Amino acid sequence: MTKISIQNTDLTFEREPLLHPFGFKGGFLSELWQIAAQLQTASGESATGPGVQSVLWSDGAVFAEHSESGGNALMLAMTDHALQLARGQSFETPFELLDAIFPEVLEYGRKITGRPDLRSTFALNALVPVDLAAWILFARKKGTTVFDDLLSEEFRPALSHRQEAVTKIPLVSYTTTLEDIDALIAQGNFFLKIKIGADPEGDGDQEKMLAWDKERMSEIHERLKDVPCPQMADGKIPYYLDANGRYQKKETLLRLVDHLDKIGALEQVHLLEEPFPEDFSEDVSDIPVRLVADESAHTEEDAIARIDQGYGAVALKPIAKTMSMALRAAKAAHERNIPCFCADLTVNPLMVEWNKNVAARLAPIPGFKMGVLETNGPQNYRNWEKMREKHPFASKEWVKADGAEFPLPDEFYETSGGIFSADSEG
């Protein structure tokens, strides 16, 4: 196959306000920057890849040290640097381009943030629009708009399913009220992602965090414990807890687990994502809930390390850690019989389709009848409907998905959700 050679690049962004402060990881967001990175080949063909920046998610230390706009500006500078590095590069697959520029982008990020310990995920978040632009060029080079056609034999086993629908996972943040939760259930949603690990007084106190989490889970479980859930074999609403690395010690987490057991909620906790900091290396196989690796699983090697540590699932984020890294992590997990699913970064409607293309091809999480896909954009963006109008298939039910599921008809698979149909500007 003739190599794709990059000659020119371009970069733009827009600031999208959120409906309300979005709380997780002990902090709050008010807006998310929408990125469009363009790659132009030597033959004049161009592709624009979308991105959404989340400084708080990708490295909470950078978020804490800067204003919200300042942190976003640093990540945007890294995307710009990645595009400079991409000029003059030639590659056969997007994996080659990512491997060529990722180390230098990470090192550049460490210099401009002044943090030698900058998390790899911060660089990968910055690289998403560049990587997705490369995948669009790769699809055009192969003359296809079908996602399956882009998967080589080594990745096909991990993405061999063809789901007829995927269940939407809405987000319950620190500020989501019990009435908001009632509304989500009334809309047909049944699998809730609940943010824990709050910092109620902003002082990082682990005991206060634990107390807040206990009270929060008690309130939510009291509200939902008797709500019937026909989608699950046990008839109960399943919970998906996300701590974003806030628990410093296993003992503290086990105290939360004991509380969940005491109030009768533990059996409904199907996933507990990233409870510990990235440098936490203790064995976790004795914790009686399926732990999920997310932002700590930057690369394929990181995912394997987490699996060896005792984690029982991997959250894939093509829209936050690049499609290239997500496919490698999916392959590694599949080879070790570890389930995967796709989590959100509060991305725009078109980026949901990039995530959905992977989620549609993954085996269901044990205990579920269909695939799942976290998507919380409609809950958080002020201009969600206006953003959706930019989608090339905005009127299709598999895009709107007004119920609790994304239907996945043949048209979705034939068009890959529209990700290759037009340049992606969010």
Side-chain angles (χ1 to χ4, degrees), residues 329-352:
K331 173 180 175 291
H334 177 76
E335 291 171 348
R336 290 158 180 79
N337 199 31
I338 294 295
C340 295
F341 63 98
C342 285
D344 198 6
L345 193 74
T346 313
V347 295
N348 57 60
L350 191 56
M351 290 191 76
V352 170

Side-chain angles (χ1 to χ4, degrees), residues 240 271 273-274 290-300 302-304 306-307 311-317 321 325-326 328-334 336 338-343 362 365:
Y240 164 12
L271 301 171
E273 182 177 302
E274 289 290 357
R290 187 185 294 273
L291 299 189
V292 180
D294 179 13
E295 56 261 51
S296 68
H298 312 284
T299 65
E300 176 184 4
D302 295 326
I304 293 170
R306 283 293 186 246
I307 293 168
Y311 283 69
V314 176
L316 303 178
K317 283 187 170 174
K321 292 183 285 189
M325 286 297 188
R328 285 172 168 169
K331 173 180 175 291
H334 177 76
R336 290 158 180 79
I338 294 295
C340 295
F341 63 98
C342 285
L362 294 171
I365 298 171

Side-chain angles (χ1 to χ4, degrees), residues 17 39 53 71-72 75 109 125 128 137-138 156 169 172 195 224 268 288 295 321 331 351 375 389 419 426:
L39 298 178
Q53 297 187 169
N72 274 299
M75 186 179 286
N125 194 170
V128 166
L137 287 176
F138 185 57
R156 288 181 181 271
I169 307 175
V172 176
K195 290 288 187 180
L224 298 178
Q268 291 172 239
E295 56 261 51
K321 292 183 285 189
K331 173 180 175 291
M351 290 191 76
T375 176
E389 291 173 2
I419 59 175

Side-chain angles (χ1 to χ4, degrees), residues 13 24 47 60-61 65 110 125 187 206 233-234 250 254 277 293 330 339-340 380-381 383 396 399 401:
F13 76 100
F24 65 100
E65 290 174 351
R110 287 171 172 163
N125 194 170
Q187 292 163 13
Q206 290 277 293
D234 62 4
K250 184 194 288 190
L254 287 173
C340 295
N380 291 296
Y381 281 111
N383 302 315
K396 299 294 184 179
V399 173

Side-chain angles (χ1 to χ4, degrees), residues 91 360 367 386:
F91 58 92
K386 183 178 179 181

